[in-house]
Amino acid sequence: MSGPMEQFEIKKLVPIEIGGYDISFTNSALCMVLAATLVVSIFALCLRKRTLVPGVYQNIPESIYEFIYKIVLDNVGKEGLKYFSFIFTLSLFIASGNILGLFPYSFTFTSHLAAVGALSIFALLFNMIVGIRKKKWGYLRTFMPRGIPWPLAPLIIPIETISLLSKPFSLTVRLVANMTVGHIMLKIIAGFVAALGVCGVVPLFFDGCIIAFELFIAVLQAYIYTILSCIYLSDALHYH
Amino acid sequence: MQIPEDIKALDEKIAKAKLLKQQEEPQSKHSDFSHLTMGLRLGVELASGTIVGAAIGYTLDEVFDFKYIMLLIFTIFGGCAGMLNAYRYIKSINTNEEKEGE
């Protein structure tokens, strides 16, 4: 029987090497492509017949759209609606990645620090660019808030810089830890099902419950990721 | 596009029902789960500041060969940054609660 950590192993599907750099197409990349394709396909299928009064299928993407629209409006304000498409794409990608990982033989790319970390750093850079575009040199006030005496600058500037840089890290750790722990737990309990024979019904029941819980966690974590991205965007736009 | 009368009436009916529901529902209290989420987030904020600070210090030591002085200084700065993030998070919760209370 395979170990609980084996499910997180990256396997090369199409080995590609350019200029000494390994940019192979892996199972993680395949799942990312699948997640993106899945979201686009569901939206395209559900929005084939667009009517003023939405039908059952049209309601699905419209509800998701309105839900994320409200998050952006509540946390960033009307000014943030300009960046709605970015937040919408990010949250759907994370949510579909989390849910896709629950399927057997699939791979949870959101359980990898590299994948989620890259997304978080991208989100941080995006927020920084938005902040700099809006406030120009005033953005530097983020590192030295108003009202603080200048002699304290050598202490405050590094603290504020680390505070800013730790934001994508805490975003990443939260999502990765939740996904990894949930999948390890599922695998360990599933191991007992085969080992206990007839009595394996008990862990099988628990595994069923955990899968339902994991589905909830998958959506919840995507929601938290979206909310926090909005808060960081709001900080970049309104802070100080 | 002109909205038909029956749709307008339905819209008004939905708005009325939403208002009635809002009035009937008591003020939502934080559940145990949201307390757990708050605690977890605070823990992650505190730890991530320290880890990022230590990582910056270690990198500076490696690049400029400062003999682990930067690691020491930036770990302390990182701890402070973690506490600052945690403080801001708590402050934002209090502000939200005050807004809800008004």
Side-chain angles (χ1 to χ4, degrees), chain A residues 52-90:
Chain A
L52 186 62
V53 181
V56 179
Y57 295 114
Q58 195 183 328
N59 241 329
I60 300 167
E62 276 192 13
S63 311
I64 298 170
Y65 183 94
E66 276 174 13
F67 181 65
I68 298 172
Y69 186 89
K70 203 171 171 301
I71 293 175
V72 178
L73 199 64
D74 288 349
N75 291 289
V76 196
K78 276 191 177 168
E79 214 179 344
L81 292 177
K82 269 192 283 184
Y83 314 104
F84 170 74
S85 47
F86 171 70
I87 302 282
F88 188 63
T89 313
L90 197 69

Side-chain angles (χ1 to χ4, degrees), chain A residues 52-53, chain B residues 3-12:
Chain A
L52 186 62
V53 181
Chain B
I3 301 166
E5 282 303 314
D6 56 336
I7 304 259
K8 269 187 193 170
L10 182 70
D11 200 33
E12 277 170 21

Side-chain angles (χ1 to χ4, degrees), chain B residues 37-87:
Chain B
T37 315
M38 275 181 212
L40 279 173
R41 179 159 173 208
L42 276 177
V44 173
E45 291 288 1
L46 282 169
S48 64
T50 316
I51 293 168
V52 170
I56 293 171
Y58 182 75
T59 314
L60 286 174
D61 276 334
E62 286 292 305
V63 175
F64 301 108
D65 201 19
F66 280 127
K67 308 272 182 211
Y68 300 108
I69 291 171
M70 287 294 147
L71 177 66
L72 189 70
I73 294 171
F74 273 83
T75 308
I76 296 167
F77 277 151
C80 296
M83 282 183 214
L84 184 71
N85 281 344
Y87 167 72

Side-chain angles (χ1 to χ4, degrees), chain A residues 52-53 145 154-155 158-160 162-167 169-170 173-174 213 216-217 220 224 228 231-232 239-240, chain B residues 1-4 7 33 37 40-41 44-45 47-53 56 74 77-78 80-81 84-85 88:
Chain A
L52 186 62
V53 181
L155 280 175
I159 289 174
E160 286 287 353
I162 296 170
S163 163
L164 182 82
L165 293 176
S166 69
K167 280 173 182 176
F169 187 76
S170 69
V173 166
R174 199 174 301 117
F213 185 65
F216 165 67
I217 293 287
L220 182 79
I224 292 174
L228 291 179
I231 291 171
Y232 297 155
Y239 193 49
H240 305 301
Chain B
M1 199 196 316
Q2 205 168 10
I3 301 166
I7 304 259
F33 192 76
T37 315
L40 279 173
R41 179 159 173 208
V44 173
E45 291 288 1
S48 64
T50 316
I51 293 168
V52 170
I56 293 171
F74 273 83
F77 277 151
C80 296
L84 184 71
N85 281 344
R88 278 178 184 155

Side-chain angles (χ1 to χ4, degrees), chain B residues 14-52:
Chain B
I14 291 169
K16 265 186 198 168
K18 271 185 183 169
L19 198 74
L20 203 72
K21 204 181 168 196
Q22 265 179 6
Q23 285 167 350
E24 278 173 3
E25 273 178 1
Q27 282 285 330
S28 63
K29 293 265 160 60
H30 288 296
S31 63
D32 286 346
F33 192 76
S34 77
H35 282 136
L36 180 75
T37 315
M38 275 181 212
L40 279 173
R41 179 159 173 208
L42 276 177
V44 173
E45 291 288 1
L46 282 169
S48 64
T50 316
I51 293 168
V52 170

Side-chain angles (χ1 to χ4, degrees), chain A residues 192-205:
Chain A
F192 284 121
V193 178
L196 290 179
V198 186
C199 297
V201 179
V202 180
L204 185 68
F205 171 74

